[in-house]
Amino acid sequence: MGLISRELVSEGASIFRQIDPETLFAKDESCFEDFERWRNLYLLAAEKNEEILVAVA
């Protein structure tokens, strides 16, 4: 298990806010849904000032 600290979550959310997924995936939409899931996770966790627990394989 790994833990993404509140500080890194906040920084990640800030970066995700700057990325336009439609431009990023204009030629290849296959990763768009994964991107949106990660983006939403970071934005919600940052909004609630929470950490993210991840499983590391």
Side-chain angles (χ1 to χ4, degrees):
M1 297 298 236
L3 189 65
I4 302 172
S5 69
R6 286 187 288 271
E7 293 80 15
L8 287 177
V9 168
S10 178
E11 187 174 332
S14 176
I15 292 168
F16 272 121
R17 284 186 195 99
Q18 297 174 34
I19 297 173
D20 176 22
E22 291 179 7
T23 301
L24 182 63
F25 300 111
K27 294 184 180 180
D28 182 8
E29 296 181 14
S30 63
C31 297
F32 184 80
E33 287 181 25
D34 289 334
F35 174 85
E36 283 294 307
R37 278 189 226 123
W38 280 105
R39 181 177 189 261
N40 291 337
L41 174 66
Y42 270 80
L43 294 178
L44 183 60
E47 180 182 308
K48 296 183 175 201
N49 197 32
E50 295 179 338
E51 299 170 324
I52 298 174
L53 181 65
V54 294
V56 179

